[in-house]
Amino acid sequence: MSKSREALERYCLFGGTFDPIHLAHLEIAKAAIEAFDLSKVFFVPAANPPHKDRALMTAYEDRYRMVELACATVEKCQPSRLEEGRQRSYTIDTLKRFRREHECSYGLFFLIGADAFAEIETWKNWKEVLQLTDFIVVSRPGISYGIPENARVHPLENLSLAIASTSIRGRLAKGDPTPELAPGVRAYIEEKGLYGWRRPATITASQ
């Protein structure tokens, strides 16, 4: 792709642990693509976020593979290994790496929930982060946030997507249905035995 063509692209990064990725993540991305005419949304699984206990997270490669399977079902969504191998996952480093690898100085979007954006002033080099990207902020019931000076914020509202990865993991551990997961993601979880999932024992008639 030429630089002149890249300058016309509207790219967006969507970071998270995605442990596991579920349909609400995809619906958020689709809503952002439509609302802001995005060319592509890059799903960026975090390697080692400072606010999470790495020991409690599913292995990076498994989370990346689930993101890959989910993104295959939605046009303009693409998995990204931007944070693979990182000792710490800081947004400032992710943004700089993306811009460097794409040789871009054009506008870039970052898709984020209102609860996470409300804490932006606690992020590493947060003022520099504001210079490097526009934010698409997904509204959450009962969550308000201030907008720091010089922040470029685009609200994404009216999404009713009350799905929690914690609940999904609990049901997977019991072998219960998880309609919030793309079929390919559920199949991968079963194949790898993630989240404590175990194939139910087969009951056979006595001879």
Side-chain angles (χ1 to χ4, degrees):
M1 181 184 295
S2 67
K3 289 185 178 179
S4 60
R5 172 62 186 278
E6 275 206 333
L8 300 176
E9 301 290 349
R10 293 169 66 85
Y11 289 156
C12 179
L13 304 185
F14 188 6
T17 53
F18 301 121
D19 197 10
I21 186 170
H22 49 68
L23 296 183
H25 293 129
L26 300 179
E27 290 302 317
I28 288 169
K30 288 191 289 186
I33 289 168
E34 181 176 354
F36 302 104
D37 192 27
L38 302 177
S39 304
K40 191 172 294 185
V41 173
F42 292 86
F43 281 69
V44 185
N48 190 14
H51 60 289
K52 296 280 187 177
D53 185 342
R54 188 174 187 177
L56 300 178
M57 291 168 52
T58 304
Y60 175 88
E61 192 59 35
D62 286 322
R63 290 183 291 112
Y64 177 83
R65 179 58 180 149
M66 288 187 283
V67 166
E68 189 175 43
L69 290 165
C71 285
T73 68
V74 181
E75 187 180 3
K76 297 185 178 182
C77 288
Q78 179 175 320
S80 171
R81 292 185 179 271
L82 274 173
E83 295 193 359
E84 183 178 19
R86 292 275 183 84
Q87 291 301 310
R88 277 295 184 190
S89 299
Y90 292 113
T91 300
I92 184 65
D93 300 325
T94 301
L95 291 170
K96 286 183 175 180
R97 180 178 178 183
F98 183 88
R99 285 187 172 278
R100 182 172 64 251
E101 291 184 355
H102 287 261
E103 298 182 346
C104 62
S105 57
Y106 53 87
L108 179 64
F109 296 86
F110 194 91
L111 186 55
I112 186 173
D115 50 345
F117 185 77
E119 299 178 352
I120 192 169
E121 293 185 16
T122 68
W123 293 12
K124 177 183 177 182
N125 297 356
W126 67 273
K127 290 184 178 181
E128 187 176 3
V129 168
L130 297 182
Q131 298 173 6
L132 293 175
T133 188
D134 285 38
F135 285 91
I136 298 174
V137 180
V138 183
S139 62
R140 296 279 174 83
I143 301 294
S144 61
Y145 58 88
I147 300 179
E149 184 179 1
N150 298 323
R152 300 182 299 277
V153 174
H154 311 272
L156 183 60
E157 301 176 336
N158 302 318
L159 292 178
S160 299
L161 302 169
I163 299 177
S165 294
T166 302
S167 172
I168 293 173
R169 292 194 295 268
R171 279 182 282 122
L172 285 167
K174 294 186 291 185
D176 290 345
T178 51
E180 306 93 334
L181 297 178
V185 172
R186 172 75 189 218
Y188 182 85
I189 289 169
E190 293 182 1
E191 176 188 350
K192 297 293 185 178
L194 303 179
Y195 309 111
W197 189 89
R198 295 291 182 272
R199 187 177 300 279
T202 300
I203 300 176
T204 58
S206 61
Q207 298 296 324

